[in-house]
Amino acid sequence: MSRVKRINLALQGGGAHGAFTWGVLDRLLEEERVEVAAISGTSAGALNGAAFKAGWISGGRAGAKAQLDRLWGRMGAVQDMRMPGWMTSGLALPGAVSGALEMSPGYMLADAASRMVSPYAYGPFYANPLHPIVSAFEYDKVCARDGPIFFVCATNVHDGKIRVFSGEEISTEAILASACLPTLFQAVEIDGEHYWDGGYTGNPALFPLFDPELPDDLVIVNINPLERRDVPRSAQDIQNRINEISFNSSLLRELRAIRFAQRLLNSGALEAGAMKHVLVHMIADDALMRDLSVATKLIPTPYTLGLLKEAGRAACAAFLDAHLDDIGRESSVDIEAMFG
């Protein structure tokens, strides 16, 4: 039997587009030649990581698949915080996706309101719609010492620094903080500090995965397009691209650091073993993500979630077919070409 290949997973955030990662993980769990040693997740990536870890502890691969299915089944019933139920009821139809969602009167009204109304304006009527889902995780399993090591990233509102939660630090509040978009949700308070979405400082954070005890191979599940050929022209497209650039900047910064370390190791400027030689892999479907509108990030209709799951499964299957043999041997991402 082939040797089991151990990897670390880095799971990006991107709202309901995190269902793509659901599909990636669903297919990855069917590949018994691959074992996940550690997970770093931000926002939707943190939710996926928590479901994966809890399910793995309770029932191995089958348990992880079941927990992920349960998570996204519940996500499909969540209404966008900016849109009351009467605004979104007609948008749950299978044909109402992407451009239709973005141009719907309800979405346009709610999008405009979000730019003028603070989430603090709701006063006692404020509620985070993700709280019932996140609080349902079995934290004795999410925080367990067994199974993949799990890291959750959030951004400290006060000093702008990244906060990485791990082990028993991970809680309902930590995951809600990681997914706290400040235009939608009130900052999450933990031990007197306040936190926003981790995507601003680590989407996701890679550095926790550089521990010498962890595998060299890092598989990034990327759901925010790194490149767009067309110049965005509508107000919504411009804002979406600003968010994509902002949420990819920390990832690109850490990839540049990996590139620098690789250069030093390859040139002999550093002795082998002085720094971790990270092998980088990426699973993505930028073409699909470029076609989907920003509205599909915020309105998790079951149809769109199913579409994204199947796309994630297909992307993971293609990666395994092309690069399974590269794991443990070499990077399948050409970082030099990416930044050349």
Side-chain angles (χ1 to χ4, degrees), residues 199-201 203 241-250:
Y200 296 109
T201 50
N203 194 22
R241 188 54 183 158
I242 289 172
N243 288 338
E244 286 176 348
I245 292 171
S246 173
F247 275 37
N248 278 330
S249 63
S250 59

Side-chain angles (χ1 to χ4, degrees), residues 219-240:
V219 179
I220 302 166
V221 182
N222 185 36
I223 59 177
N224 295 292
L226 294 174
E227 295 184 6
R228 286 186 183 268
R229 292 183 178 275
D230 298 331
V231 176
R233 298 188 181 277
S234 72
Q236 290 172 333
D237 286 345
I238 291 170
Q239 187 62 47
N240 184 46

